Amino acid sequence: MDPVTEPPPQKRPVVVSIVVVLVVLSGLSNALLGLTVLLSRYQVPDGDVLVVSLIGAGVILFGLLTLAVAGGIRRGSRGARLLVTIYLGIQLALHVVTALTTAWDWAVFVQAVVELLVLVAVWAPPSSRRFFTR
């Protein structure tokens, strides 16, 4: 690295560090929530088993994808910020469907609040916008 051509490394703002922790927690809790929704298919009427199974699998998938993007968020990748926004948007839609088809209303509500906090923290503060320039 040539110090003349390379800009000095940018220090990660505290808000971004908090976002990384929230993204990891969101991904893990979505994977666990998806697993419980998937297992709750045994408690729904026969006509809803496929729908509940697909919703549970989708919540697990996007929870793991969100978890995978946390490293990119930590490094300040704009692509990772965009991906986490897309993944969380899809997860919010899945949570609405989950709340309508299962009895996991309280867990879905808590998870949706965490995801909205992540989205606000990724996009709102000026320090985080400057950090995501790569």
Side-chain angles (χ1 to χ4, degrees), residues 45-84:
D46 290 340
D48 293 338
V49 170
L50 178 64
V51 173
V52 171
S53 298
L54 290 175
I55 291 170
V59 172
I60 291 170
L61 173 70
F62 284 104
L64 293 176
L65 287 171
T66 302
L67 190 60
V69 174
I73 294 286
R74 185 181 57 81
R75 290 188 304 273
S77 168
R78 279 195 282 172
R81 183 169 78 156
L82 181 62
L83 281 174
V84 83

Side-chain angles (χ1 to χ4, degrees), residues 105-118:
D105 296 341
W106 62 271
V108 169
F109 178 74
V110 169
Q111 190 63 33
V113 168
V114 170
E115 290 167 0
L116 288 173
L117 288 173
V118 170

